[in-house]
Amino acid sequence: PFVTGVGETVRGLRIADKFGNVVEIADSLDDSIDTYHNIRKATKGTGLEAHHIVEKRFAKPLNIETNKSATTMYSTALTKTQHQKYTNQWRELIPYGGNPSLQKVVETGVKIYGDNPRKMRAFILTLKNLK
């Protein structure tokens, strides 16, 4: 019932959550990758959150899937604490304001996801969708 790769749906998440195993499941699904839309749909009502692998604030400046980019960009299911950790890392390394270069976004993504092969792969796949 657990996700093993990019593009697979997060099935079984709600059932397991009903048994009170949210933290265990969040840890097990930490490597789950799918579109933001699918991750958000699968985590609805579970206490987990969908996290864009590349922050959506970079979608337009980098021309990442300009058609509905926020819903089609690769994302992952995280606990609120995990989500905040990744968001804080992005904000610390690339503060709001300005227009970071593609190189800066790539360097930042490598720093943030370099120790997680699955998230790193999703980061690379997201960048492959650049126009």
Side-chain angles (χ1 to χ4, degrees):
F2 295 107
V3 174
T4 58
V6 173
E8 294 181 356
T9 358
V10 187
R11 300 210 190 279
L13 186 60
R14 291 175 193 252
I15 296 168
D17 184 48
K18 289 178 183 177
F19 293 103
N21 297 322
V22 175
V23 175
E24 271 184 47
I25 291 166
D27 290 343
S28 298
L29 292 177
D30 188 45
D31 288 334
S32 63
I33 305 294
D34 205 323
T35 63
Y36 179 80
H37 174 78
N38 289 342
I39 293 288
R40 185 160 180 194
K41 184 177 172 182
T43 59
K44 187 176 181 179
T46 67
L48 296 176
E49 299 178 351
H51 168 71
H52 289 94
I53 295 293
V54 175
E55 285 201 345
K56 65 182 179 179
R57 65 183 163 124
F58 303 130
K60 189 173 181 178
L62 297 179
N63 291 318
I64 298 173
E65 295 185 14
T66 55
N67 182 24
K68 299 181 181 179
S69 62
T71 59
T72 58
M73 289 173 64
Y74 286 115
S75 299
T76 188
L78 300 174
T79 65
K80 185 174 184 164
T81 301
Q82 290 167 325
H83 191 185
Q84 192 62 58
K85 176 187 156 204
Y86 282 115
T87 299
N88 288 346
Q89 287 176 320
W90 277 104
R91 288 179 182 167
E92 180 182 316
L93 296 169
I94 304 179
Y96 278 92
N99 194 6
S101 66
L102 174 59
Q103 181 174 340
K104 179 67 174 173
V105 173
V106 169
E107 290 170 357
T108 301
V110 169
K111 286 179 185 176
I112 292 172
Y113 303 122
D115 63 345
N116 187 308
R118 191 149 299 173
K119 284 187 180 63
M120 192 65 211
R121 181 171 182 246
F123 177 69
I124 292 166
L125 289 172
T126 299
L127 296 179
K128 283 185 176 183
N129 290 326
L130 296 174
K131 281 193 165 189

